[in-house]
Amino acid sequence: PKPQNPVLKAFESIIKDIHTEMPKLVYFELHGRAEAIRLLCHHAKVEFEDVRFSFEEWGAKKGAGEFKGQLPQWHEDGEVMN
């Protein structure tokens, strides 16, 4: 096996300390606009939780105030991006 770069090893250690939760991608139960994000994450070996809603579930959750904005949403370290 190829020896690991010490700078990369240190960077990975710092990143593990910063990220306490697994990132989450939220979208409907279809490919749509989130598919490119999924493909890029898989290609880059980024672990994430893939949360998919039906349109009925989304309506109920949005009506209950659980989500603001539009989909897809990326949740990471307390931040929500859409």
Side-chain angles (χ1 to χ4, degrees), residues 51-63:
V51 179
R52 300 181 190 210
F53 295 121
S54 68
F55 290 110
E56 293 80 23
E57 290 172 315
W58 172 248
K61 289 181 180 292
K62 187 158 177 135

Side-chain angles (χ1 to χ4, degrees), residues 11-23 74-78:
F11 179 73
E12 288 174 348
S13 175
I14 292 168
I15 293 299
K16 285 180 185 175
D17 290 341
I18 293 171
H19 294 290
T20 56
E21 296 180 10
M22 182 178 290
W74 182 263
H75 298 243
E76 186 171 0
D77 296 331

Side-chain angles (χ1 to χ4, degrees), residues 7-74:
V7 174
L8 181 59
K9 188 174 181 179
F11 179 73
E12 288 174 348
S13 175
I14 292 168
I15 293 299
K16 285 180 185 175
D17 290 341
I18 293 171
H19 294 290
T20 56
E21 296 180 10
M22 182 178 290
K24 180 170 39 174
L25 175 64
V26 179
Y27 197 62
F28 299 109
E29 293 178 333
L30 48 95
H31 298 291
R33 294 172 44 206
E35 192 62 14
I37 299 167
R38 289 185 191 108
L39 292 172
L40 285 169
C41 287
H42 286 299
H43 179 74
K45 296 180 176 61
V46 173
E47 292 184 29
F48 67 99
E49 182 182 352
D50 192 4
V51 179
R52 300 181 190 210
F53 295 121
S54 68
F55 290 110
E56 293 80 23
E57 290 172 315
W58 172 248
K61 289 181 180 292
K62 187 158 177 135
E66 292 182 43
F67 288 95
K68 297 194 180 347
Q70 60 187 22
L71 296 182
Q73 289 185 347
W74 182 263

